[in-house]
Amino acid sequence: MSDSTLSISSMSYEKKDDVRILTSCLSKWFSNPKILNFVSPSMSYPFKIKQWINQSYSNQNKTLVLKLDNWIIGHLSIRMNNQTKSAHIFHLIIDPEQQQKGYGKKLISHAEKLITKNNLKKITINVLINNQIAKKFYEKNGFIITKGNKSGKIKMSKDLEKL
């Protein structure tokens, strides 16, 4: 499979065609309620794209998708804040059939380059306390736990000035 092509591109929840494509991918990935809960704890099962968009995509967030041979296998969104010089990464998901292959790291690396290009100095992310796989993944990628909170989430951050 060495002739596979990997690419990262932007998509927008404001474009009808993008929403149609994203709905198809996300609905398949979130057919497992546990995965939906880990990625977006405030979402109720079954997955509904309108609720997803209303909860998280009303302001100017950037969404990246990772494609393998033009097939979407990963999704990550970034909320950038120029005032605080920080970015918040959310909704990182890799197709369950494509996990453990380094694709999450590729998306995070690409997001970090984009965030750095925008002169932002810090990245934050929230992880559910019981999502040990995600916690270990982010720690391996340079994130540190900054605080836990009562809602069962851990806030993690990465300082980009040290890179």
PDB file of all heavy atoms in Angstrom, residues 43-64:
ATOM      1  N   MET A  43     -22.919  16.059  23.202  1.00  0.00           N
ATOM      2  CA  MET A  43     -23.816  15.577  22.149  1.00  0.00           C
ATOM      3  C   MET A  43     -24.605  14.375  22.655  1.00  0.00           C
ATOM      4  O   MET A  43     -24.075  13.533  23.360  1.00  0.00           O
ATOM      5  CB  MET A  43     -23.019  15.141  20.909  1.00  0.00           C
ATOM      6  CG  MET A  43     -22.444  16.258  20.091  1.00  0.00           C
ATOM      7  SD  MET A  43     -23.654  17.131  19.081  1.00  0.00           S
ATOM      8  CE  MET A  43     -24.170  15.853  17.957  1.00  0.00           C
ATOM      9  N   SER A  44     -25.875  14.316  22.239  1.00  0.00           N
ATOM     10  CA  SER A  44     -26.675  13.148  22.588  1.00  0.00           C
ATOM     11  C   SER A  44     -26.660  12.161  21.416  1.00  0.00           C
ATOM     12  O   SER A  44     -26.491  12.549  20.266  1.00  0.00           O
ATOM     13  CB  SER A  44     -28.105  13.566  22.932  1.00  0.00           C
ATOM     14  OG  SER A  44     -28.677  14.263  21.841  1.00  0.00           O
ATOM     15  N   TYR A  45     -26.815  10.902  21.743  1.00  0.00           N
ATOM     16  CA  TYR A  45     -26.867   9.853  20.728  1.00  0.00           C
ATOM     17  C   TYR A  45     -28.326   9.664  20.333  1.00  0.00           C
ATOM     18  O   TYR A  45     -29.198   9.738  21.179  1.00  0.00           O
ATOM     19  CB  TYR A  45     -26.275   8.555  21.312  1.00  0.00           C
ATOM     20  CG  TYR A  45     -26.181   7.448  20.308  1.00  0.00           C
ATOM     21  CD1 TYR A  45     -25.104   7.381  19.435  1.00  0.00           C
ATOM     22  CD2 TYR A  45     -27.168   6.478  20.228  1.00  0.00           C
ATOM     23  CE1 TYR A  45     -25.020   6.371  18.497  1.00  0.00           C
ATOM     24  CE2 TYR A  45     -27.084   5.474  19.292  1.00  0.00           C
ATOM     25  CZ  TYR A  45     -26.024   5.418  18.429  1.00  0.00           C
ATOM     26  OH  TYR A  45     -25.939   4.422  17.493  1.00  0.00           O
ATOM     27  N   PRO A  46     -28.677   9.417  19.078  1.00  0.00           N
ATOM     28  CA  PRO A  46     -27.786   9.286  17.926  1.00  0.00           C
ATOM     29  C   PRO A  46     -27.270  10.636  17.419  1.00  0.00           C
ATOM     30  O   PRO A  46     -27.862  11.671  17.683  1.00  0.00           O
ATOM     31  CB  PRO A  46     -28.663   8.613  16.870  1.00  0.00           C
ATOM     32  CG  PRO A  46     -30.066   8.998  17.233  1.00  0.00           C
ATOM     33  CD  PRO A  46     -30.080   9.161  18.730  1.00  0.00           C
ATOM     34  N   PHE A  47     -26.175  10.571  16.693  1.00  0.00           N
ATOM     35  CA  PHE A  47     -25.511  11.753  16.143  1.00  0.00           C
ATOM     36  C   PHE A  47     -26.441  12.523  15.219  1.00  0.00           C
ATOM     37  O   PHE A  47     -27.099  11.944  14.354  1.00  0.00           O
ATOM     38  CB  PHE A  47     -24.253  11.315  15.373  1.00  0.00           C
ATOM     39  CG  PHE A  47     -23.562  12.458  14.672  1.00  0.00           C
ATOM     40  CD1 PHE A  47     -22.827  13.380  15.388  1.00  0.00           C
ATOM     41  CD2 PHE A  47     -23.661  12.601  13.294  1.00  0.00           C
ATOM     42  CE1 PHE A  47     -22.190  14.443  14.746  1.00  0.00           C
ATOM     43  CE2 PHE A  47     -23.015  13.657  12.645  1.00  0.00           C
ATOM     44  CZ  PHE A  47     -22.289  14.568  13.380  1.00  0.00           C
ATOM     45  N   LYS A  48     -26.505  13.849  15.418  1.00  0.00           N
ATOM     46  CA  LYS A  48     -27.293  14.729  14.543  1.00  0.00           C
ATOM     47  C   LYS A  48     -26.400  15.883  14.109  1.00  0.00           C
ATOM     48  O   LYS A  48     -25.920  16.652  14.946  1.00  0.00           O
ATOM     49  CB  LYS A  48     -28.512  15.270  15.292  1.00  0.00           C
ATOM     50  CG  LYS A  48     -29.536  14.207  15.647  1.00  0.00           C
ATOM     51  CD  LYS A  48     -30.671  14.802  16.465  1.00  0.00           C
ATOM     52  CE  LYS A  48     -31.558  13.754  17.078  1.00  0.00           C
ATOM     53  NZ  LYS A  48     -30.923  13.042  18.199  1.00  0.00           N
ATOM     54  N   ILE A  49     -26.195  16.036  12.827  1.00  0.00           N
ATOM     55  CA  ILE A  49     -25.269  17.038  12.298  1.00  0.00           C
ATOM     56  C   ILE A  49     -25.705  18.458  12.678  1.00  0.00           C
ATOM     57  O   ILE A  49     -24.864  19.295  13.004  1.00  0.00           O
ATOM     58  CB  ILE A  49     -25.071  16.896  10.763  1.00  0.00           C
ATOM     59  CG1 ILE A  49     -23.880  17.740  10.287  1.00  0.00           C
ATOM     60  CG2 ILE A  49     -26.328  17.254  10.005  1.00  0.00           C
ATOM     61  CD1 ILE A  49     -22.527  17.253  10.701  1.00  0.00           C
ATOM     62  N   LYS A  50     -27.008  18.752  12.685  1.00  0.00           N
ATOM     63  CA  LYS A  50     -27.464  20.116  13.026  1.00  0.00           C
ATOM     64  C   LYS A  50     -27.091  20.466  14.468  1.00  0.00           C
ATOM     65  O   LYS A  50     -26.641  21.576  14.745  1.00  0.00           O
ATOM     66  CB  LYS A  50     -28.975  20.245  12.815  1.00  0.00           C
ATOM     67  CG  LYS A  50     -29.355  20.475  11.364  1.00  0.00           C
ATOM     68  CD  LYS A  50     -30.826  20.832  11.246  1.00  0.00           C
ATOM     69  CE  LYS A  50     -31.200  21.314   9.888  1.00  0.00           C
ATOM     70  NZ  LYS A  50     -31.285  20.330   8.855  1.00  0.00           N
ATOM     71  N   GLN A  51     -27.264  19.518  15.386  1.00  0.00           N
ATOM     72  CA  GLN A  51     -26.898  19.747  16.788  1.00  0.00           C
ATOM     73  C   GLN A  51     -25.384  19.956  16.895  1.00  0.00           C
ATOM     74  O   GLN A  51     -24.915  20.840  17.598  1.00  0.00           O
ATOM     75  CB  GLN A  51     -27.334  18.547  17.638  1.00  0.00           C
ATOM     76  CG  GLN A  51     -27.018  18.706  19.109  1.00  0.00           C
ATOM     77  CD  GLN A  51     -27.290  17.441  19.920  1.00  0.00           C
ATOM     78  OE1 GLN A  51     -27.618  16.394  19.391  1.00  0.00           O
ATOM     79  NE2 GLN A  51     -27.122  17.556  21.226  1.00  0.00           N
ATOM     80  N   TRP A  52     -24.606  19.156  16.181  1.00  0.00           N
ATOM     81  CA  TRP A  52     -23.137  19.240  16.139  1.00  0.00           C
ATOM     82  C   TRP A  52     -22.709  20.636  15.702  1.00  0.00           C
ATOM     83  O   TRP A  52     -21.882  21.280  16.327  1.00  0.00           O
ATOM     84  CB  TRP A  52     -22.648  18.166  15.179  1.00  0.00           C
ATOM     85  CG  TRP A  52     -21.209  18.086  14.819  1.00  0.00           C
ATOM     86  CD1 TRP A  52     -20.616  18.647  13.725  1.00  0.00           C
ATOM     87  CD2 TRP A  52     -20.169  17.361  15.502  1.00  0.00           C
ATOM     88  NE1 TRP A  52     -19.279  18.309  13.686  1.00  0.00           N
ATOM     89  CE2 TRP A  52     -18.987  17.509  14.770  1.00  0.00           C
ATOM     90  CE3 TRP A  52     -20.137  16.593  16.659  1.00  0.00           C
ATOM     91  CZ2 TRP A  52     -17.782  16.934  15.132  1.00  0.00           C
ATOM     92  CZ3 TRP A  52     -18.933  16.003  17.025  1.00  0.00           C
ATOM     93  CH2 TRP A  52     -17.770  16.183  16.272  1.00  0.00           C
ATOM     94  N   ILE A  53     -23.286  21.114  14.600  1.00  0.00           N
ATOM     95  CA  ILE A  53     -22.939  22.430  14.050  1.00  0.00           C
ATOM     96  C   ILE A  53     -23.370  23.549  15.013  1.00  0.00           C
ATOM     97  O   ILE A  53     -22.596  24.459  15.297  1.00  0.00           O
ATOM     98  CB  ILE A  53     -23.557  22.629  12.648  1.00  0.00           C
ATOM     99  CG1 ILE A  53     -22.908  21.659  11.651  1.00  0.00           C
ATOM    100  CG2 ILE A  53     -23.396  24.075  12.174  1.00  0.00           C
ATOM    101  CD1 ILE A  53     -23.612  21.574  10.305  1.00  0.00           C
ATOM    102  N   ASN A  54     -24.599  23.461  15.537  1.00  0.00           N
ATOM    103  CA  ASN A  54     -25.102  24.503  16.440  1.00  0.00           C
ATOM    104  C   ASN A  54     -24.266  24.605  17.709  1.00  0.00           C
ATOM    105  O   ASN A  54     -24.041  25.707  18.208  1.00  0.00           O
ATOM    106  CB  ASN A  54     -26.567  24.248  16.804  1.00  0.00           C
ATOM    107  CG  ASN A  54     -27.495  24.508  15.631  1.00  0.00           C
ATOM    108  OD1 ASN A  54     -27.139  25.182  14.677  1.00  0.00           O
ATOM    109  ND2 ASN A  54     -28.680  23.937  15.684  1.00  0.00           N
ATOM    110  N   GLN A  55     -23.804  23.486  18.233  1.00  0.00           N
ATOM    111  CA  GLN A  55     -23.038  23.504  19.475  1.00  0.00           C
ATOM    112  C   GLN A  55     -21.616  24.024  19.292  1.00  0.00           C
ATOM    113  O   GLN A  55     -21.077  24.659  20.183  1.00  0.00           O
ATOM    114  CB  GLN A  55     -22.950  22.088  20.074  1.00  0.00           C
ATOM    115  CG  GLN A  55     -24.175  21.691  20.841  1.00  0.00           C
ATOM    116  CD  GLN A  55     -23.996  20.354  21.538  1.00  0.00           C
ATOM    117  OE1 GLN A  55     -22.923  19.776  21.570  1.00  0.00           O
ATOM    118  NE2 GLN A  55     -25.083  19.855  22.092  1.00  0.00           N
ATOM    119  N   SER A  56     -21.010  23.733  18.147  1.00  0.00           N
ATOM    120  CA  SER A  56     -19.571  23.979  18.046  1.00  0.00           C
ATOM    121  C   SER A  56     -19.104  24.806  16.860  1.00  0.00           C
ATOM    122  O   SER A  56     -17.943  25.182  16.804  1.00  0.00           O
ATOM    123  CB  SER A  56     -18.837  22.636  18.004  1.00  0.00           C
ATOM    124  OG  SER A  56     -19.145  21.870  19.131  1.00  0.00           O
ATOM    125  N   TYR A  57     -19.969  25.061  15.912  1.00  0.00           N
ATOM    126  CA  TYR A  57     -19.460  25.674  14.682  1.00  0.00           C
ATOM    127  C   TYR A  57     -20.172  26.968  14.312  1.00  0.00           C
ATOM    128  O   TYR A  57     -20.261  27.321  13.146  1.00  0.00           O
ATOM    129  CB  TYR A  57     -19.514  24.658  13.537  1.00  0.00           C
ATOM    130  CG  TYR A  57     -18.568  23.511  13.803  1.00  0.00           C
ATOM    131  CD1 TYR A  57     -19.002  22.351  14.414  1.00  0.00           C
ATOM    132  CD2 TYR A  57     -17.214  23.635  13.506  1.00  0.00           C
ATOM    133  CE1 TYR A  57     -18.114  21.319  14.699  1.00  0.00           C
ATOM    134  CE2 TYR A  57     -16.328  22.621  13.796  1.00  0.00           C
ATOM    135  CZ  TYR A  57     -16.781  21.464  14.388  1.00  0.00           C
ATOM    136  OH  TYR A  57     -15.896  20.457  14.682  1.00  0.00           O
ATOM    137  N   SER A  58     -20.636  27.719  15.319  1.00  0.00           N
ATOM    138  CA  SER A  58     -21.309  28.980  15.010  1.00  0.00           C
ATOM    139  C   SER A  58     -20.314  30.110  14.776  1.00  0.00           C
ATOM    140  O   SER A  58     -20.601  31.065  14.090  1.00  0.00           O
ATOM    141  CB  SER A  58     -22.271  29.348  16.139  1.00  0.00           C
ATOM    142  OG  SER A  58     -21.579  29.375  17.367  1.00  0.00           O
ATOM    143  N   ASN A  59     -19.104  29.989  15.340  1.00  0.00           N
ATOM    144  CA  ASN A  59     -18.108  31.039  15.062  1.00  0.00           C
ATOM    145  C   ASN A  59     -17.018  30.495  14.140  1.00  0.00           C
ATOM    146  O   ASN A  59     -17.044  29.334  13.757  1.00  0.00           O
ATOM    147  CB  ASN A  59     -17.531  31.611  16.361  1.00  0.00           C
ATOM    148  CG  ASN A  59     -17.058  30.524  17.309  1.00  0.00           C
ATOM    149  OD1 ASN A  59     -16.992  29.360  16.940  1.00  0.00           O
ATOM    150  ND2 ASN A  59     -16.738  30.891  18.522  1.00  0.00           N
ATOM    151  N   GLN A  60     -16.107  31.318  13.786  1.00  0.00           N
ATOM    152  CA  GLN A  60     -15.116  30.989  12.752  1.00  0.00           C
ATOM    153  C   GLN A  60     -14.076  29.965  13.230  1.00  0.00           C
ATOM    154  O   GLN A  60     -12.990  30.320  13.624  1.00  0.00           O
ATOM    155  CB  GLN A  60     -14.417  32.273  12.285  1.00  0.00           C
ATOM    156  CG  GLN A  60     -15.330  33.271  11.621  1.00  0.00           C
ATOM    157  CD  GLN A  60     -15.947  32.724  10.349  1.00  0.00           C
ATOM    158  OE1 GLN A  60     -15.267  32.110   9.541  1.00  0.00           O
ATOM    159  NE2 GLN A  60     -17.228  32.928  10.165  1.00  0.00           N
ATOM    160  N   ASN A  61     -14.445  28.727  13.183  1.00  0.00           N
ATOM    161  CA  ASN A  61     -13.507  27.664  13.510  1.00  0.00           C
ATOM    162  C   ASN A  61     -12.941  27.102  12.216  1.00  0.00           C
ATOM    163  O   ASN A  61     -13.579  27.161  11.169  1.00  0.00           O
ATOM    164  CB  ASN A  61     -14.216  26.551  14.290  1.00  0.00           C
ATOM    165  CG  ASN A  61     -14.765  27.051  15.600  1.00  0.00           C
ATOM    166  OD1 ASN A  61     -14.086  27.762  16.317  1.00  0.00           O
ATOM    167  ND2 ASN A  61     -15.998  26.708  15.899  1.00  0.00           N
ATOM    168  N   LYS A  62     -11.753  26.565  12.304  1.00  0.00           N
ATOM    169  CA  LYS A  62     -11.124  25.955  11.132  1.00  0.00           C
ATOM    170  C   LYS A  62     -11.217  24.441  11.303  1.00  0.00           C
ATOM    171  O   LYS A  62     -10.888  23.914  12.357  1.00  0.00           O
ATOM    172  CB  LYS A  62      -9.667  26.391  11.052  1.00  0.00           C
ATOM    173  CG  LYS A  62      -8.986  25.957   9.782  1.00  0.00           C
ATOM    174  CD  LYS A  62      -7.888  26.949   9.443  1.00  0.00           C
ATOM    175  CE  LYS A  62      -7.331  26.711   8.073  1.00  0.00           C
ATOM    176  NZ  LYS A  62      -8.210  27.047   6.985  1.00  0.00           N
ATOM    177  N   THR A  63     -11.675  23.758  10.280  1.00  0.00           N
ATOM    178  CA  THR A  63     -11.770  22.308  10.322  1.00  0.00           C
ATOM    179  C   THR A  63     -10.835  21.717   9.280  1.00  0.00           C
ATOM    180  O   THR A  63     -10.855  22.115   8.115  1.00  0.00           O
ATOM    181  CB  THR A  63     -13.220  21.842  10.080  1.00  0.00           C
ATOM    182  OG1 THR A  63     -14.025  22.344  11.151  1.00  0.00           O
ATOM    183  CG2 THR A  63     -13.322  20.327  10.043  1.00  0.00           C
ATOM    184  N   LEU A  64     -10.012  20.792   9.736  1.00  0.00           N
ATOM    185  CA  LEU A  64      -9.088  20.082   8.856  1.00  0.00           C
ATOM    186  C   LEU A  64      -9.542  18.645   8.718  1.00  0.00           C
ATOM    187  O   LEU A  64     -10.028  18.043   9.685  1.00  0.00           O
ATOM    188  CB  LEU A  64      -7.668  20.091   9.451  1.00  0.00           C
ATOM    189  CG  LEU A  64      -7.046  21.442   9.753  1.00  0.00           C
ATOM    190  CD1 LEU A  64      -5.721  21.260  10.487  1.00  0.00           C
ATOM    191  CD2 LEU A  64      -6.846  22.234   8.467  1.00  0.00           C
TER     192      LEU A  64
END
